[in-house]
Amino acid sequence: MNPRGLLASAGINKGLALVVLILFSILKKQPSNAPIYYPRPLSKRHPITILPPDPFSPSRFLPSFSWIPRAFRVTEDEILETSGLDALVVIRLFKFGINFFAVCTLIGLLILLPINYGGQNDPSTSYHSMDSCSISNIERGSNMLWVHVICLWFISFYGLYLLYKEYSEILVKRIQKLQNLRDRPDQFTILVRQIPFCTEHKARGCCVDHFFSKHHPYSYHSYQMLYDGKDIEVLLFLRSTLPYMSSKCTKGVEPGKTFKRKIQDLRKKCTVKKHIGEMLLLDECRDESMKAALLEEKLQELCHKIRQLQSEDMLKERELPVSFVTFKSRWGAALAAQTQQHTNPLLWITGTAPEPSDVSWRNLAVQYKFLPLHKIGVILAASLLTVFFAVPVTAVQGIAKFEKLKKWFPPAMAIQLIPGLSSVVTGYLPSAILKGFIYIVPFAMLAMAKVGGSISESKEEIKACNMVFYFLVGNVFFLSLISGSLLDEIGESFSHPKNLPSHLASLVSSQADFFMTYILTDGLSGFSLEVLQPGLLLWDLIKSHTYCRGKEKDLYLYSLQYFRIIPTVSLSILIGIVYAVIAPLLLPFLLVYFYIGYAVYINQVQDVYNTVYDTFGQFWPFIHHYIFVAIILMQVTMIGLFGLKLKPAASISTIPLVLLTIMFNEYCKIRFLPTFQGYPIQNAVENDELDQKGGQMEASYGKAVGAYRQPCLRPVSFTQSECNLAQPLITSL
């Protein structure tokens, strides 16, 4: 990529980001867009003071960037209080990037960049635009490489220091959060699987009660068996979508709200016509009343069938070997969840229960012996997706290496007929296409993780985070390097095969300009589109002018997509760490990237995304691992580059650094990881003592008794008192 391509990419991304942010600042002031840009405060009945009170005020149509300084004024305590520790972990990830790359930028621009630029007395012209500013410009065997060794050690230790600091601070916040929310049902509940069948009572529930009453007599309280409720779920679905299937006029309306709205509309229409005295339309009113009565009759039949299936005799036949067991103390629950209950480890398998809103009811019905098959299937599916994704990545690199591509595909020379087009094609287009392909990957990985047998949605997202991160490292990072090198050097490698190692020596530095355009596209265009929400704007526009015209808008309230945000940002950290010593010119762009991302996601967490569950920071150990992988990759890359620069002493001096980094990671696993994976007995006892002093213990574990009832077993009702205009017809389950 030539310098003009890099400038074209920077110009296009900056221009697009500016236009999108101006558009966002205007659209968010419009009251009609409040369900898109303020769903979180609206769902909590919080007043919105940002909207101008006067609908005809000129300020509503003037761009304003006041939300950016407001984002930097939000404190961590506010985020922790309103959105939970998981949301704060995402924000701390951006703060880590700011703190780390601010120091790296100073070192890179003040120390490494001047050395790299003046590294050769007679520098030859290079095709790659950043070669003169990277380590590839240093002469082989030069003693100036020792400066890079010192900077490598300093950057590595600074990164490890920040990792330790973040790990310890988030651990403290996790313990504090466990204490502040000590009435949560999951602190008193464990999940038990592989429950044996009682041949005497023809059920498993009696085994649960007998086992825990005997082995945990002082702390055991009650149990909640799980059942195969597929038949009930089908009827519940029919109950909520009956008019959706029987009436064309409701086509396209959300199924869960169709029935309620349909019957209410029919009754309201009939009542209104009676009040205005439209005597000529009495027959039509009667027809509408008959339709409403028919729908009510069908609903009554479905509710009756559901109650029959929910009866004790019917449920006993559908009992699963899974149960939620509630204890009278956190100490009892933590002890039972973290110890082996039976001499046969494949029976009475216990674990910490997720909070009720986090439970994946579908996966709990999967038999435990089939879980390895599910996991293997997920791995195979993710591997196939990774292999197939190599095609677009290679194609993207073909576009980026336009100068070499012309030799292999002469028709591509037609692009040069339009002035400036080749700069746009080679500078902006490859990273934009790659980002477009990457966007669908997290959702595909999450769909795979959902069939992997995880017991909670949070574990599904964590598993998706891992798959997406390694997918991005393998395809976006390594495959971009390999495919770019092959396309760049394939001709000369065939003609001079002995020079292949020397060509691969400049592998990383030759792709620095491509990753710079990737960071620009992801940071400027990507974050600005994240805050604009163009997909929801388009969908809301279609709904407002079609079947939802004149109706009250629903809030577009969704949970924070950890599986998409964390791996993508972690990849940018990996790219920055690997290139911190090799190509320091990339570092200022990464600093801007993290500042923009910090402001955007503070806004999204405060106003847009809802908190569905909170794992109390269980995402951070995986983020720590991602950054550790990046630091190791940087050190291994530098060992290879020092060797190719004929400086074996520098390579040898870096090996102890790798060993120290691995030892640090192992220490963190021992020091921090167990506390994130379980509930320490010390904290459980301390929280129990706080409740006992305040007389709240019985009330606290009492909340857990009915909290884990399956959705298909929750009571349904349909009474005549509900069938009027003053009250909703269907109560939410």
Side-chain angles (χ1 to χ4, degrees), residues 277-545:
E278 294 183 4
M279 302 300 297
L280 296 178
L281 297 177
L282 285 178
D283 291 339
E284 183 181 349
C285 183
R286 291 193 192 96
D287 292 340
E288 291 170 351
S289 297
M290 291 177 62
K291 290 179 181 178
L294 181 62
L295 292 177
E296 292 171 5
E297 183 180 352
K298 291 182 179 180
L299 179 62
Q300 286 176 333
E301 294 177 0
L302 285 174
C303 289
H304 179 66
K305 292 181 180 179
I306 292 171
R307 293 191 195 100
Q308 284 183 330
L309 290 174
Q310 289 179 340
S311 64
E312 185 177 352
D313 294 336
M314 296 293 291
L315 288 176
K316 189 175 292 186
E317 299 176 0
R318 293 175 169 81
E319 207 172 45
L320 297 172
V322 184
S323 176
F324 286 104
V325 178
T326 303
F327 290 80
K328 298 177 184 178
S329 64
R330 300 172 187 83
W331 167 79
L335 190 64
Q338 298 168 167
T339 53
Q340 183 176 324
Q341 303 297 320
H342 196 271
T343 54
N344 183 357
L346 297 179
L347 291 177
W348 298 102
I349 301 173
T350 58
T352 305
E355 61 176 309
S357 60
D358 189 22
V359 177
S360 179
W361 301 101
R362 176 189 62 258
N363 286 336
L364 288 178
V366 179
Q367 294 188 36
Y368 191 81
K369 61 183 178 182
F370 292 141
L371 287 181
L373 297 178
H374 283 254
K375 295 178 181 179
I376 293 173
V378 170
I379 294 174
L380 291 177
S383 301
L384 289 175
L385 181 62
T386 304
V387 172
F388 289 140
F389 199 83
V391 176
V393 172
T394 305
V396 164
Q397 288 300 324
I399 299 173
K401 302 297 178 180
F402 179 70
E403 295 296 329
K404 297 297 181 180
L405 184 63
K406 289 188 298 183
K407 299 179 181 179
W408 297 91
F409 188 66
M413 297 178 63
I415 296 177
Q416 292 182 318
L417 299 177
I418 302 177
L421 182 60
S422 61
S423 299
V424 174
V425 169
T426 59
Y428 174 74
L429 197 58
S431 57
I433 294 175
L434 184 61
K435 185 61 183 175
F437 279 108
I438 290 174
Y439 185 80
I440 64 175
V441 171
F443 298 96
M445 292 296 188
L446 180 64
M448 297 177 192
K450 285 184 177 296
V451 299
S454 299
I455 64 172
S456 64
E457 295 180 6
S458 60
K459 291 186 181 299
E460 291 173 355
E461 290 210 49
I462 289 174
K463 186 178 294 184
C465 278
N466 287 328
M467 292 192 296
V468 174
F469 174 75
Y470 287 110
F471 175 92
L472 294 178
V473 172
N475 264 320
V476 177
F477 185 74
F478 281 113
L479 191 58
S480 293
L481 293 178
I482 296 172
S483 59
S485 174
L486 292 177
L487 288 171
D488 192 20
E489 305 290 350
I490 190 170
E492 191 169 354
S493 296
F494 277 126
S495 57
H496 302 88
K498 294 182 179 180
N499 295 334
L500 181 60
S502 62
H503 295 319
L504 294 178
S506 61
L507 179 68
V508 177
S509 59
S510 67
Q511 290 294 97
D513 44 11
F514 169 76
F515 285 116
M516 182 179 290
T517 61
Y518 173 82
I519 294 297
L520 285 170
T521 303
D522 191 24
L524 295 176
S525 301
F527 288 150
S528 58
L529 291 175
E530 162 67 29
V531 78
L532 180 64
Q533 301 284 327
L536 290 182
L537 278 174
L538 180 60
W539 176 243
D540 183 70
L541 181 65
I542 294 173
K543 287 177 59 178
S544 300
H545 290 81

Side-chain angles (χ1 to χ4, degrees), residues 560-582:
L560 193 63
Q561 297 173 340
Y562 302 100
F563 64 95
R564 178 176 61 88
I565 301 168
I566 291 176
T568 305
V569 178
S570 299
L571 176 67
S572 299
I573 291 178
L574 183 143
I575 293 172
I577 290 177
V578 171
Y579 281 95
V581 180
I582 297 173

Side-chain angles (χ1 to χ4, degrees), residues 31-44:
S32 61
N33 294 327
I36 298 176
Y37 296 121
Y38 299 101
R40 180 181 176 87
L42 289 176
S43 67
K44 298 182 180 297

Side-chain angles (χ1 to χ4, degrees), residues 84 167-168 204 347 514:
Y167 223 148
S168 58
R204 289 184 169 89
L347 291 177
F514 169 76

Side-chain angles (χ1 to χ4, degrees), residues 107-136:
I107 294 174
L109 297 183
L110 298 180
I111 300 176
L112 294 178
L113 187 61
I115 293 175
N116 292 341
Y117 190 76
Q120 291 185 353
N121 296 326
D122 186 19
S124 58
T125 59
S126 176
Y127 167 68
H128 301 290
S129 58
M130 291 185 65
D131 273 2
S132 60
C133 301
S134 68
I135 196 173
S136 61

